[in-house]
Amino acid sequence: MLTVRTTKVGDRLALGPSAPPQWDAVKAIGGARWEPAYQRWTVPATIPAAVALAAVAAEHDFRFSGLDELLAAAAKSAVDLPDFPGKTSGWLHQRQAYAFAIERAATMLALGMGTGKSKIAVGLCEGWWAEKVLVIAPKKATTVWPGQFAQHAAQSWNVPSGAVRGRSGKILKNPTISARLKHFTQALALTGPTAIVLNYEMLVSKLVRDWLAGVAWDVVIFDESHRIKSPGGKWSRAAMKIKAPRRLALTGTPMPHSPPDLYAQFRALDPSVYGTSFARYRQRFFRMGGFENREVVGWNDEAGHTAAFKAASFIAESKDVLDLPPTQDLPHTYVELGEDGRRHYDELHEEFITAVGDGVVTAANALTRLLREQQVTSGLLPRDTDCRRPKRATTIGTEKADALAEILGDLPYDEPVVVFARFTHDLDEIMRVALEANRIYGEISGRRDDGLTALAPRRAGKMADGVQVCGVQIAAGGEGIDLTRARYAVYYSMGFSLGQYQQSRARIHRPGQERSTMYLHILAANTIDTQVYRALKAKKQVVDAIIEEAKG
């Protein structure tokens, strides 16, 4: 029997220096990582990884020193965990998260997509015997929360839906802020625990902020808390002023782009973690440089920053705690722009490069220029006041639409497909292609939601059963949506947000998905499309990466 020394390194187990001959089995463990500097493999020091490592050892007749102690500790912790309130006991990581948070005033549940964060939050609300709970969530997720309380809570909760009735009793199509607040006030007056669910956009209203300040909330929950990562943003500033003795932040992407994304989230959640001055926070933890000394170029205290985050958060990645089928990125589908498209694209891109070279373009003002380039790759010449271009947006190519038609033609007719896109023009083209292929089209976007089922509140976030092609606007459908009915996801066009990109992928690959998932990207060759994809895969700030490439 071969013995492999196991050492604890941070929150990981380091395997070495003796190497078992069956490294492939170790590599298959969720979260396994090769560290070339030390010539060793490491795996997460988590219960699922430890159990998987024990199975590998038993199968191949070798042992890891120290593994027995970790397994014994895991078994003891599972027995000693407190009861989880609700209709069901929950998965082990959910029970561990509950135990971590139940005695704390503020906790971030930094759990990967699909790990059941809302179930933990509902359990904590019941464990705290909360009577008035405030949930602030993205618009699409607000329809999901009533079902979460109904599905998981042991008690009967009042969770008013977004439907607001007028004096006649009819549902108002566009209720005013005052009408919504009256609706919520009436719900809070009912007997029993009540959860009020607002979207982040409502925090902009002073009327809403004043109303929130007048309610004695027991718990406030920031769902998808990375939405308030911008320290100067209106949502972030409003969130930090909401008072409650218990506070939760739920997110699968706590740092969508970089570690400073944590500051504003914890300013609203627990100011004692990183303080309330962004300038002092950056000075303490980071080395600054770049334009006007505003860019993070290195660390002053990485260990301290990480320790503060871990002390206030329960952290687990989906791959480490969930048993999900594998994923695969299929080879890209590259399209060549037509003559008009290429001419207009090259003109716009040359203007961009020249502006970067002249110092006119910065990360703050580059977005409009880059969006125009991206629109051209989708076959749309954007509107412009320049006399050389049209005053109305004009279609100049269908290359991506033609490629999508071929992809659909290669898939079985009864195979549902999700197609992510950025622009409404793209969604129009996706719908046209779907209808020409005689496939039922549904959409999840800022303008329509017929891609979602409306059978029951608890299923409000699921892809509709009859839809064969579901067009999803990334900004609208990246959070709070379950798209596991499909196993194929096509990216017609991509946004610049790493968080939204990761969220969109996780809508397909999450609990409920029973088949391997396939991702396919349609990219216009030699354009911004490939730059965006490379930046997202490298987890870089997209705009910054494109500007740097233009300088090179």
Side-chain angles (χ1 to χ4, degrees):
M1 175 179 289
L2 175 66
T3 299
V4 179
R5 182 167 60 84
T6 303
T7 58
K8 191 79 173 290
V9 180
D11 59 345
R12 301 181 69 81
L13 295 177
L15 314 179
S18 301
Q22 297 83 6
W23 274 129
D24 286 343
V26 174
K27 289 158 59 178
I29 296 174
R33 186 169 68 204
W34 172 249
E35 296 182 349
Y38 300 98
Q39 293 294 296
R40 69 188 181 191
W41 281 93
T42 67
V43 298
T46 60
I47 293 173
V51 171
L53 203 56
V56 170
E59 180 180 356
H60 297 289
D61 196 30
F62 58 82
R63 66 183 299 274
F64 293 99
S65 64
L67 185 60
D68 291 342
E69 289 81 355
L70 179 62
L71 290 171
K76 182 177 185 299
S77 65
V79 172
D80 294 344
L81 290 174
D83 292 335
F84 192 113
K87 296 177 181 177
T88 55
S89 60
W91 294 324
L92 181 58
H93 72 272
Q94 291 175 321
R95 295 174 59 200
Q96 290 174 320
Y98 175 85
F100 180 88
I102 189 63
E103 300 298 332
R104 297 168 180 262
T107 303
M108 174 178 281
L109 299 181
L111 293 164
M113 282 74 86
T115 53
K117 296 184 288 294
S118 56
K119 175 178 172 58
I120 302 169
V122 171
L124 287 167
C125 289
E126 296 209 294
W128 289 324
W129 293 95
E131 289 293 322
K132 296 179 181 179
V133 173
L134 172 65
V135 180
I136 305 177
K139 279 186 177 181
K140 297 301 178 190
T142 58
T143 61
V144 177
W145 274 97
Q148 294 298 305
F149 276 92
Q151 181 178 355
H152 300 304
Q155 304 177 70
S156 177
W157 280 73
N158 305 313
V159 189
S161 67
V164 179
R165 297 183 182 276
R167 294 181 180 179
S168 64
K170 294 184 178 180
I171 295 177
L172 302 176
K173 290 184 178 180
N174 296 299
T176 63
I177 292 293
S178 297
R180 289 182 183 276
L181 296 182
K182 181 179 179 181
H183 176 59
F184 294 145
T185 300
Q186 291 171 342
L188 288 169
L190 298 174
T191 303
T194 301
I196 302 298
V197 185
L198 306 182
N199 62 62
Y200 283 107
E201 286 82 353
M202 292 184 71
L203 296 181
V204 175
S205 167
K206 184 179 185 300
L207 198 62
V208 171
R209 297 196 301 271
D210 291 344
W211 180 80
L212 291 175
V215 179
W217 303 105
D218 297 312
V219 181
V220 59
I221 300 172
F222 301 108
D223 186 20
E224 306 293 358
S225 62
H226 53 272
R227 289 294 190 96
I228 55 173
K229 64 181 175 61
S230 176
K234 292 182 179 179
W235 300 351
S236 181
R237 289 186 174 278
M240 65 182 268
K241 296 178 181 179
I242 300 173
K243 306 299 181 183
R246 303 280 190 179
R247 309 167 77 78
L248 283 173
L250 315 181
T251 177
T253 52
M255 294 175 278
H257 293 290
S258 62
D261 290 342
L262 290 174
Y263 166 77
Q265 296 177 68
F266 276 101
R267 184 179 63 180
L269 178 67
D270 182 359
S272 69
V273 176
Y274 292 126
T276 56
S277 169
F278 190 46
R280 286 196 294 269
Y281 161 80
R282 292 192 303 181
Q283 184 179 20
R284 174 184 174 187
F285 292 109
F286 305 101
R287 286 189 294 108
M288 307 301 295
F291 179 69
E292 294 185 351
N293 206 39
R294 294 182 179 181
E295 299 177 15
V296 174
V297 296
W299 286 97
N300 283 335
D301 185 7
E302 181 178 5
H305 190 275
T306 301
F309 172 44
K310 289 184 176 180
S313 309
F314 185 87
I315 307 167
E317 295 186 32
S318 303
K319 61 184 178 182
D320 295 337
V321 297
L322 299 177
D323 184 17
L324 293 173
T327 65
Q328 181 180 358
D329 279 76
L330 299 175
H332 302 325
T333 295
Y334 287 102
V335 300
E336 294 289 344
L337 295 181
E339 183 177 347
D340 283 348
R342 174 52 64 181
R343 175 168 53 82
H344 286 294
Y345 179 84
D346 288 346
E347 178 184 317
L348 287 170
H349 191 59
E350 186 61 34
E351 290 176 1
F352 175 74
I353 292 176
T354 301
V356 170
D358 293 342
V360 177
V361 171
T362 66
N365 62 24
L367 188 59
T368 300
R369 294 173 182 267
L370 295 178
L371 286 176
R372 288 174 178 172
E373 290 189 23
Q374 203 174 29
Q375 286 176 308
V376 172
T377 68
S378 289
L380 183 72
L381 183 61
R383 173 184 177 275
D384 203 307
T385 55
D386 191 318
C387 62
R388 292 175 298 169
R389 300 187 193 113
K391 294 184 178 181
R392 294 184 179 180
T394 305
T395 299
I396 56 173
T398 61
E399 292 82 14
K400 283 191 176 182
D402 296 341
L404 177 62
E406 291 185 7
I407 292 169
L408 295 181
D410 291 338
L411 295 175
Y413 181 75
D414 58 352
E415 185 70 62
V417 181
V418 172
V419 186
F420 290 107
R422 181 169 196 173
F423 306 109
T424 54
H425 164 267
D426 294 346
L427 293 171
D428 291 339
E429 286 293 275
I430 294 166
M431 177 174 64
R432 178 181 65 78
V433 170
L435 296 180
E436 288 180 356
N438 199 29
R439 299 193 185 215
I440 299 173
Y441 176 79
E443 188 172 300
I444 303 171
S445 69
R447 61 184 183 180
R448 51 191 279 196
D449 280 335
D450 56 342
L452 294 174
T453 183
L455 296 179
R458 63 182 291 180
R459 298 190 60 203
K462 287 184 176 288
M463 179 177 169
D465 292 337
V467 170
Q468 294 170 291
V469 176
C470 187
V472 182
Q473 194 167 27
I474 291 180
E479 300 166 336
I481 303 297
D482 182 344
L483 302 175
T484 54
R485 216 186 118 240
R487 64 177 298 201
Y488 288 97
V490 178
Y491 284 87
Y492 193 95
S493 55
M494 294 179 289
F496 294 166
S497 167
L498 175 62
Q500 287 180 354
Y501 178 67
Q502 292 175 330
Q503 288 269 2
S504 66
R505 290 176 66 98
R507 295 304 136 205
I508 311 291
H509 191 245
R510 57 175 291 156
Q513 181 58 265
E514 299 177 350
R515 302 182 294 168
S516 59
T517 52
M518 309 289 179
Y519 302 98
L520 193 151
H521 298 74
I522 302 176
L523 305 175
N526 302 311
T527 69
I528 189 177
D529 284 2
T530 56
Q531 294 176 297
V532 172
Y533 178 79
R534 284 198 304 268
L536 291 175
K537 293 299 286 186
K539 298 183 178 180
K540 295 181 178 179
Q541 289 273 12
V542 172
V543 175
D544 291 343
I546 294 175
I547 291 175
E548 285 303 313
E549 192 168 333
K551 290 178 180 178

